[in-house]
Amino acid sequence: DVKVTQSSRYLVKRTGEKVFLECVQDMDHENMFWYRQDPGLGLRLIYFSYDVKMKEKGDIPEGYSVSREKKERFSLILESASTNQTSMYLCASNPLDRRDTEAFFGQGTRLTVV
Amino acid sequence: AQSVSQHNHHVILSEAASLELGCNYSYGGTVNLFWYVQYPGQHLQLLLKYFSGDPLVKGIKGFEAEFIKSKFSFNLRKPSVQWSDTAEYFCAVTSGGYQKVTFGTGTKLQVIP
């Protein structure tokens, strides 16, 4: 069974803290994505990566950075958490060379910044 | 840049009613189209996908969607909904060399028994 695993289901952090969200996939996919999901706004792409150490900005990268040191792991970093970053964060992966294959999602991390 | 529009934000239906959820995308090249579903408290799951061939695709749980290239549309349908179909539905598109996935804003479906 294919899997995308996010390290935490729920996180509560204080304003100004540095926050790390971790994601691991076991499908040997080249692409990995970080989205945030907010009511009425759907899923908005923060960053994606198509290879180790490669990253591309998505639609809302401000306030975030990412790290991909290994193919299976993609980390989202909030350098200085703010209350407007309270959201559900979803990680996904898909293969770069198989356009008929869908993206697979983790269970999500609900982050609350207080 | 590609974009996806879902015009119905919240739909309420009685059981056995027919469902059609609209999805339009903007991208001039070759696209792959998906519908995902998110049941309350669960992660996103694939309902169906289109990448080539027959424009009418069938997915799980009796759902189907039709790709109409001239209208840039990929509407989701189900002839008779059940209470268990209560969920949020997302249309998505991938295109280009990187297969980046772009989502619509989602439609919340509430089915009343």
Side-chain angles (χ1 to χ4, degrees):
Chain A
D1 198 15
V2 296
K3 265 202 174 153
V4 178
T5 304
Q6 294 181 230
S7 54
S8 305
R9 286 296 301 271
Y10 301 94
L11 276 179
V12 180
K13 297 291 182 180
R14 295 194 182 278
T15 301
E17 275 193 79
K18 190 169 185 175
V19 181
F20 293 85
L21 303 183
E22 307 285 345
C23 175
V24 176
Q25 51 99 1
D26 65 0
M27 295 165 281
D28 202 36
H29 286 165
E30 294 81 7
N31 286 347
M32 294 187 75
F33 306 85
W34 276 107
Y35 294 88
R36 63 177 282 176
Q37 183 179 7
D38 300 289
L41 298 177
L43 278 74
R44 294 179 292 167
L45 182 64
I46 304 171
Y47 269 96
F48 76 99
S49 168
Y50 54 89
D51 200 351
V52 174
K53 296 191 188 294
M54 305 304 289
K55 61 185 179 184
E56 292 283 337
K57 291 181 180 179
D59 301 316
I60 52 164
E62 296 77 20
Y64 303 94
S65 62
V66 291
S67 172
R68 189 149 181 218
E69 297 296 320
K70 294 185 177 182
K71 189 176 185 180
E72 67 270 19
R73 188 179 297 269
F74 192 36
S75 303
L76 179 69
I77 303 156
L78 287 66
E79 297 290 344
S80 177
S82 63
T83 54
N84 63 13
Q85 293 178 310
T86 291
S87 186
M88 172 69 86
Y89 290 87
L90 297 176
C91 176
S93 72
N94 70 0
L96 180 60
D97 59 350
R98 289 285 309 277
R99 57 181 284 263
D100 60 338
T101 302
E102 68 271 25
F104 293 87
F105 283 83
Q107 77 278 26
T109 297
R110 185 165 294 282
L111 173 68
T112 303
V113 183
V114 298
Chain B
Q2 65 195 27
S3 66
V4 180
S5 299
Q6 291 182 244
H7 306 294
N8 312 105
H9 297 297
H10 195 182
V11 173
I12 302 173
L13 294 173
S14 298
E15 272 193 317
S18 64
L19 170 72
E20 181 159 3
L21 301 182
C23 173
N24 289 90
Y25 65 93
S26 66
Y27 184 73
T30 302
V31 294
N32 310 307
L33 298 153
F34 306 84
W35 276 97
Y36 287 84
V37 61
Q38 188 175 37
Y39 298 103
Q42 296 189 26
H43 64 277
L44 276 162
Q45 305 170 40
L46 182 72
L47 264 184
L48 47 79
K49 61 186 178 183
Y50 171 82
F51 57 96
S52 66
D54 188 344
L56 183 62
V57 293
K58 295 191 184 299
I60 60 171
K61 304 187 181 187
F63 286 90
E64 65 179 31
E66 185 175 14
F67 170 52
I68 303 179
K69 190 175 181 179
S70 61
K71 295 185 177 180
F72 297 89
S73 71
F74 190 56
N75 292 354
L76 181 71
R77 299 194 292 248
K78 185 170 184 179
S80 176
V81 295
Q82 301 173 320
W83 176 78
S84 58
D85 293 324
T86 294
E88 191 160 14
Y89 293 81
F90 294 92
C91 183
V93 169
T94 63
S95 63
Y98 290 136
Q99 297 299 305
K100 187 178 81 168
V101 188
T102 301
F103 284 86
T105 53
T107 298
K108 281 193 173 175
L109 172 65
Q110 184 179 356
V111 180
I112 300 169

